Amino acid sequence: MRHQIIALTLLTLLVATGCADREDPDYLFSYFKGNGETGLHLAYSEDGLKWEALNDGNPILAPQVGKDRLMRDPCIVRGPSGTYHMVWTTGWWDKHIGYTSSEDLVHWSEQQIIPVMMHEDSARNSWAPELFYDKENEQFLIFWATTIPGRHTPVAESEREKGLNHRMYVTSTRDFKTFQPTELFFNPDFSVIDATLLEHNGEYVMFLKNENPNPPEKNIRITRATNAAGPYTTEVSEPITGDYWAEGPTAITIGDYTYVYFDKYREHRYGAVRSKDLENWEDVSDSISFPSGTRHGTVFSVTPGFHRQLVANLEKQEEIQNTTDVSLFMRSDSADYQEEITSETGDLYSEIGHHGPAVENEWLGLRIYFDQKCAIDVYSKSKPGLELQEARWYPTVEQQENGWGADYYKVGNTVGLGGVRLWDGTSVVRLEPVSRRTARVSRGLKHATMEMISENVPYMGRTVDILVRVTVQSGSRFARVEAYVLKGGPVQFVTGINYHAGQETEKREGLIAAWGLHPEDVAAEQVELGAAILYDPADFEHTLDSGTEFLMIAKPAERLETKITSANAREPELNTMNSFLEYLETNSTAGITND
């Protein structure tokens, strides 16, 4: 009701002031708050000066990818087909960036990783990616800042920014599926970050931050090119910002003026300058207002009144029930659910409830064993609903007779369904011993996540920290499994699916499915169960079939992603191998979408 009142009030005010019939565009501003952990925020303006937070200042979209699960520096650009595309910084020291798209800024596609710097072993980061649609070449440019030690002209360092010497890199794409090889985009004789582009009077203007730390510059400057893809002259302008530290510029033309907004990050507020000729600049920071906490964002125009439909769509989105949940507790405190549990031995299999963290949506439940197996197990449901808070993974006979699901899946010593281990070139390496193992669970608006972090795992003469994350979403039968190296460099991940002799097993390009009875079932009755893992064959080097599990050995990397799902014979529809396979083929591109 609160949002309905807000939406109606906005509409009444706009109509009363004649704004409902405005021909001038409206403006939206994408931004993040805090460290980027809350996700995408949006603000609205009619004049480019006064900005109001949408969605009561709450996030529009939660981050779901990246080691740190952040959504910093969100940049949104509308493509020629009308689709909104967004890229962002997923973490402080990631070699990749995040990507998603939307038709209405409410319903978003599955969040993906674009591995922009994964080919550079010594690359330290991928910061503040920006999008620009290059009309002449009918392609999107994606550019960002990266430090590669020893690669570029040295700059004087400060203790706080030791080893950081950024340059701008670029790739291009037409479909956000295939990308051109990463190239150096802008290489001045100073450390540069936070570049953004604006087409102006037939030329392309790059606004950028001089990031030199000693003596500190921290100001916004300009360079130009005749083509969007460059080259841009390395002889840049004098600062267009004042005697303060500024970053994250974003530019737009409103009326006769070009406005450049930026984050006055030391003052914890936003600033702006404007110009009619891009030569003489006027500081209008005192004339603008942004929502409290606004950080490094992007401005873009929308059709008049667009934000009213956005408010209405967000209201409908909030009414959707969250059909996900998490479960993490110690047996000794079975009534108290926790968000994080840590063990220095790395083995709480017997002490922790249902042997590890668990996550569920209406279709399936999943757990990760809190011991050296770190395998993923399945709680398979017969009808939609949330059950683990009461069933605790082991439902009673009476509950099963009333249509509840059960633990129809048997993992044994295998990876289970999509579990993660390592490969040393000849054999599987389990995630043990460890200096510490941590389980975490979290729940968003329409998704839930569990994580297992194993620290200082011995691997090929070094130690590595490995994060395994499983995410489920309301309404989706697929769960996403991600594995990251948090420390220690690239590894060869191993994942796969277990099955048993005599079961039906189907192996297709990017898909492995199994259907049949698992032995030693703990449920009241044995029920045929289907399980499947979907993967990108390009990520893997070779496969192994042991007769009880199908293992996939990945190419050396710091990240791996797959999708998993299951079904069982007690379900009304997906109750045979044929129906299960048909569903998998039809929905193989489905994923975890908007939060």
Side-chain angles (χ1 to χ4, degrees), residues 238-424:
E238 292 298 310
I240 66 171
T241 49
D243 188 20
Y244 43 77
W245 287 20
E247 68 181 12
T250 182
I252 194 169
T253 299
I254 302 176
D256 295 331
Y257 288 98
T258 293
Y259 285 81
V260 180
Y261 307 97
F262 46 85
D263 189 349
K264 286 188 173 183
Y265 57 103
R266 278 191 143 187
E267 300 178 19
H268 306 290
R269 67 189 185 97
Y270 245 71
V273 293
R274 70 179 185 180
S275 174
K276 290 184 176 181
D277 57 10
L278 271 63
E279 298 289 344
N280 302 287
W281 293 90
E282 172 191 9
D283 195 310
V284 292
S285 297
D286 292 338
S287 300
I288 65 170
S289 63
F290 276 83
S292 176
T294 299
R295 299 291 313 279
H296 191 155
T298 302
V299 62
F300 55 103
S301 62
V302 292
T303 56
F306 175 88
H307 80 285
R308 294 197 299 277
Q309 185 60 52
L310 181 56
V311 169
N313 288 341
L314 288 169
E315 171 66 23
K316 293 178 182 177
Q317 191 76 351
E318 284 201 0
E319 293 175 355
I320 299 175
Q321 182 182 4
N322 187 350
T323 54
T324 69
D325 210 348
V326 295
S327 177
L328 179 61
F329 62 94
M330 300 298 293
R331 289 175 183 262
S332 57
D333 301 310
S334 59
D336 298 322
Y337 288 92
Q338 302 182 39
E339 294 182 355
E340 181 175 311
I341 294 176
T342 297
S343 166
E344 292 186 0
T345 68
D347 186 352
L348 291 178
Y349 181 90
S350 299
E351 290 81 13
I352 201 170
H354 44 66
H355 306 309
V359 66
E360 68 171 328
N361 66 5
E362 65 268 46
W363 296 110
L364 77 161
L366 300 165
R367 66 179 171 185
I368 304 177
Y369 286 121
F370 201 124
D371 65 359
Q372 45 84 19
K373 286 192 296 189
C374 291
I376 297 178
D377 194 15
V378 180
Y379 177 97
S380 189
K381 302 181 182 182
S382 303
K383 60 182 181 181
L386 298 178
E387 301 179 5
L388 292 187
Q389 296 282 7
E390 296 185 52
R392 301 294 180 90
W393 202 270
Y394 301 111
T396 65
V397 173
E398 181 181 6
Q399 287 173 328
Q400 292 179 60
E401 290 176 348
N402 289 329
W404 287 43
D407 183 11
Y408 299 129
Y409 198 69
K410 181 67 176 179
V411 168
N413 292 317
T414 69
V415 297
L417 178 56
V420 175
R421 294 175 183 170
L422 305 176
W423 180 258
D424 66 4

Side-chain angles (χ1 to χ4, degrees), residues 38-52:
T38 61
L40 170 67
H41 295 256
L42 290 177
Y44 153 80
S45 177
E46 287 184 359
D47 59 8
L49 298 174
K50 185 176 181 180
W51 294 86
E52 301 289 341

Side-chain angles (χ1 to χ4, degrees), residues 3 9 31 69 79 158 200 289 337 358 373 457 514 525 528 531 576:
H3 290 286
T9 302
Y31 63 99
R69 289 288 284 273
S158 67
H200 184 267
S289 63
Y337 288 92
K373 286 192 296 189
V457 177
E525 59 177 325
E528 288 187 343
T576 66

Side-chain angles (χ1 to χ4, degrees), residues 86 205 323 366 441 513 522 573:
M86 184 173 78
V205 183
T323 54
L366 300 165
V441 294
V522 299
E573 295 181 358

